[in-house]
Amino acid sequence: MPFLKFDPGNGHSYVIPASALSDVASLDTAQYDVPQLSHSAAPLATTLARQASSGYPLHIVQINAKDLASGPAQNALSFVMNVDSAGKFAAVIPDIGGVARVAVPVGNYAIYTGFAEYDASGNPTGLRLVLQDNLAVPHTTGVSVVTADERAATAQVTAATPRPATSDNVTLDVTRTDAVGNAIPVQAVASGNVFVSPQGAPTIGKLSSQAMWDGVSPAGTRSPYRYDVLLPQTDGVPANETYPVSASGLASLHYTFDTDAANTAHTGLYQIGVRSQQLGGLVGTYPVTVPMSLTDYVTAPLPTGFAWLQSYYAELGKAPDEGFAGLQPGDLPSFTGGQQVWRTWGHGPLAPQVGRFNGPNLCFACVAGTSMGIGFNGDFTDSEPETSGYYEVPFGYPNPTVENFTVYRDGQQIAQQPGVGAWLSDVPQHVDTYRAVFDVDASGISSVSQATKTHTDLTFVYNPADDPHLTLPPGDSCYEGFSDPASCRILPMLNLNYRLNTDGSNTGHAVSVLSLTVGHESYDGQGSQAAATSAKVEVSFDGGATWTSAATVPTGRDHYLAIWPDTGAKGSMPSLRVTATDSIGGSITQTITNAYTIG
């Protein structure tokens, strides 16, 4: 869905879909205000009442918006910004019937006007952004008239990729910085039809632009692929917005998307984009037919200050109020040119873990001084140990997922609450045994049939004595040591990594083989180095009434292989129970109800 985003940096951020511009006369911009997306909460005077009370003399500016036929534009919206200081004025103004009038303080301005385009059925298809800068509003009476001509937006934002690809999303960010350093981004997002008017460097402040271009391989391609590339940042807006993409500046992400056997519609969503402190997130959402494999060519490396954002929704609800399973990896700051990455998303058995991470991350289970956080990496983790997974529902609907987290110290309960973890204060600085019991019940989400319930019972011994392996690496952080990251220490909590020989719908056939790694929570290799001392795998074909031990054998340090025949009926879903211990008194028992499907 094409949209315009204006972020005046005053605790407001307006995300206005192109469909809303089909009736500008009735547009209430306040309905599209999403304050949590604002890049700043600094109060700017954005209403006439506040401007008047501030003592600024006001002057009328009229914006005449003309469409591609040179008639009054019926689908335009203008962003007006004082470039001496955005604190004097920054506001979104609808051009009703092609005309917008606004009272502004005297000074210098930039006016950026967005135009929506539609197909014959009235569906929004693209956006054009017309930039006008170096506009002086004088100390004179009368009206200052500015014309915003849609025909001036002649530069289409696109990329020339090594392999053929059709754009399915373009995110153009134009950042206008005023004379005192306030950077105000204006964003236009559409499936490929994004045009902008060329604009040179302003006489006051700065202007820059940058785009994210996303494209998909031609229909019918045997091995589908896509491109998600961050185009170079430019000063001003050049007349040529077609950017060549070199294969040497790309990483190849070879992704496989698995799903729940109940997902007979084979619908999933893949999200990818980048974020930066100044621009926020530039993220697109793309339907995928699952299970499937896809190669994603992405910009590598990213410029300093940018990091990748990725997520995958493996099962989508069949009705608007139904839940879905969403996964995202740990932080992916960048890749390197030519790098080859392989990853499977959504492969079960799905169960909560404490995780093993690379790159800058927030520690889920750390201690600093007398503060301790004990938490899991979401409702579940797939076969990739850094993945966070949650059962979610659309905004505004109640989430039927039940989470319960209980903590014991030396056998005495000290915390109980909903959620994926607990935060403890006044932690005694002597050796104690902690036990965390975490229950997740997602059986109320009808689109989810596998891993509907999990029960995790984990113990670890906390020893405040220094262990260099438990020091959180620089670049990572923990809530407990927010003011002193160097004080964060990783807890020696056990982590189970499951790789079951099921297919892309997490369905097994005849004989199941589970590759099990028993490790500990870790960040960039830091974490407990204690060896696993035992592992046991049990399977139940009757909902947990009886359990049968699988043949489980050690195949190397911390690694085991379990094998069992799938004796249940076709379409049934066995449950798994896995127990493991380590050499320093830690243990874990995890039960997964409906762990996979028998085919």
Side-chain angles (χ1 to χ4, degrees):
M1 172 69 73
F3 66 85
L4 292 166
K5 178 184 174 186
F6 303 92
D7 187 353
N10 59 351
H12 299 275
S13 184
Y14 302 92
V15 181
I16 302 173
S19 57
L21 299 186
S22 62
D23 187 12
V24 178
S26 61
L27 177 65
D28 179 5
T29 57
Q31 293 182 352
Y32 301 98
D33 185 9
V34 188
Q36 58 266 38
L37 296 182
S38 178
H39 74 280
S40 171
L44 303 182
T46 57
T47 67
L48 294 181
R50 293 174 66 184
Q51 295 153 18
S53 66
S54 68
Y56 293 126
L58 301 180
H59 187 91
I60 300 299
V61 172
Q62 178 173 312
I63 305 166
N64 294 332
K66 294 185 177 297
D67 61 20
L68 294 175
S70 195
Q74 306 300 315
N75 54 347
L77 191 72
S78 292
F79 178 70
V80 182
M81 171 186 170
N82 186 294
V83 297
D84 302 314
S85 172
K88 293 182 178 180
F89 192 89
V92 180
I93 312 295
D95 293 82
I96 300 174
V99 177
R101 277 197 167 201
V102 59
V104 301
V106 170
N108 297 287
Y109 283 83
I111 298 177
Y112 298 166
T113 304
F115 299 82
E117 296 183 342
Y118 306 89
D119 62 18
S121 301
N123 301 309
T125 58
L127 294 167
R128 291 179 184 257
L129 189 62
V130 174
L131 313 181
Q132 297 188 84
D133 226 311
N134 305 320
L135 304 172
V137 176
H139 287 273
T140 59
T141 59
V143 177
S144 297
V145 179
V146 176
T147 298
D149 193 334
E150 186 177 5
R151 294 173 296 180
T154 55
Q156 183 176 12
V157 182
T158 187
T161 52
R163 302 176 69 183
T166 301
S167 174
D168 56 3
N169 193 69
V170 172
T171 302
L172 171 66
D173 263 291
V174 176
T175 302
R176 186 62 168 89
T177 304
D178 66 17
V180 294
N182 294 313
I184 308 298
V186 175
Q187 189 178 89
V189 180
S191 61
N193 296 318
V194 174
F195 292 80
V196 63
S197 63
Q199 180 67 50
T203 57
I204 298 173
K206 298 178 181 179
L207 172 68
S208 65
S209 64
Q210 189 160 30
M212 183 82 185
W213 188 91
D214 311 287
V216 65
S217 56
T221 301
R222 177 172 296 182
S223 298
Y225 59 87
R226 61 175 298 108
Y227 286 91
D228 292 289
V229 293
L230 182 67
L231 303 180
Q233 185 181 53
T234 62
D235 292 329
V237 177
N240 184 359
E241 284 281 345
T242 299
Y243 295 89
V245 177
S246 170
S248 63
L250 299 170
S252 302
L253 312 182
H254 305 282
Y255 285 163
T256 298
F257 299 100
D258 288 359
T259 189
D260 192 308
N263 184 10
T264 55
H266 304 289
T267 54
L269 293 175
Y270 172 49
Q271 287 185 327
I272 183 169
V274 295
R275 71 162 182 262
S276 73
Q277 184 174 1
Q278 178 174 306
L279 299 180
L282 314 180
V283 181
T285 300
Y286 311 104
V288 287
T289 301
V290 292
M292 72 170 294
S293 294
L294 172 75
T295 298
D296 194 353
Y297 301 106
V298 302
T299 300
L302 289 174
T304 301
F306 284 86
W308 284 106
L309 295 172
Q310 292 181 291
S311 59
Y312 165 55
Y313 298 97
E315 295 92 42
L316 304 182
K318 300 178 181 64
D321 61 338
E322 286 188 335
F324 47 88
L327 305 100
Q328 63 184 44
D331 202 10
L332 298 172
S334 193
F335 300 99
T336 59
Q339 183 177 358
Q340 305 285 322
V341 178
W342 281 264
R343 178 189 182 87
T344 299
W345 297 75
H347 190 77
L350 304 178
Q353 305 294 341
V354 290
R356 296 174 66 85
F357 305 92
N358 292 292
N361 277 280
L362 177 67
C363 180
F364 290 92
C366 268
V367 61
T370 60
S371 298
M372 179 185 292
I374 302 177
F376 287 84
N377 188 16
D379 292 328
F380 60 88
T381 295
D382 62 11
S383 60
E384 304 292 342
E386 79 280 7
T387 302
S388 297
Y390 287 90
Y391 296 110
E392 305 177 48
V393 294
F395 179 77
Y397 293 96
N399 192 337
T401 305
V402 178
E403 302 166 333
N404 188 64
F405 195 87
T406 307
V407 180
Y408 303 84
R409 182 166 55 227
D410 291 337
Q412 180 178 356
Q413 181 177 313
I414 57 174
Q416 183 176 26
Q417 61 192 56
V420 300
W423 188 83
L424 308 176
S425 59
D426 300 322
V427 173
Q429 295 302 291
H430 50 69
V431 177
D432 288 303
T433 298
Y434 286 80
R435 177 186 174 210
V437 179
F438 182 36
D439 288 287
V440 180
D441 184 349
S443 59
I445 300 179
S446 62
S447 60
V448 175
S449 73
Q450 296 168 340
T452 50
K453 294 182 181 180
T454 59
H455 174 79
T456 305
D457 193 330
L458 183 152
T459 64
F460 66 93
V461 176
Y462 169 61
N463 187 342
D466 184 48
D467 180 345
H469 295 296
L470 300 181
T471 301
L472 194 66
D476 295 303
S477 59
C478 72
Y479 285 123
E480 298 73 28
F482 184 76
S483 60
D484 182 16
S487 67
C488 296
R489 297 175 64 243
I490 306 165
L491 295 176
M493 296 175 65
L494 279 163
N495 182 87
L496 302 178
N497 179 238
Y498 303 124
R499 294 181 182 270
L500 187 60
N501 68 328
T502 48
D503 61 20
S505 61
N506 288 299
T507 298
H509 303 275
V511 176
S512 285
V513 180
L514 175 66
S515 175
L516 171 66
T517 302
V518 181
H520 293 83
E521 179 186 29
S522 68
Y523 295 84
D524 294 308
Q526 282 289 97
S528 175
Q529 304 298 304
T533 53
S534 70
K536 180 181 181 180
V537 177
E538 299 171 281
V539 60
S540 175
F541 298 98
D542 55 12
T546 59
W547 294 90
T548 301
S549 294
T552 306
V553 294
T555 56
R557 178 185 167 95
D558 302 335
H559 187 264
Y560 300 82
L561 207 62
I563 303 174
W564 64 91
D566 284 319
T567 58
K570 183 176 182 178
S572 64
M573 289 174 284
S575 298
L576 293 179
R577 185 165 65 194
V578 179
T579 302
T581 60
D582 65 19
S583 61
I584 55 173
S587 66
I588 184 171
T589 297
Q590 189 161 69
T591 304
I592 309 170
T593 301
N594 300 336
Y596 65 102
T597 302
I598 295 179

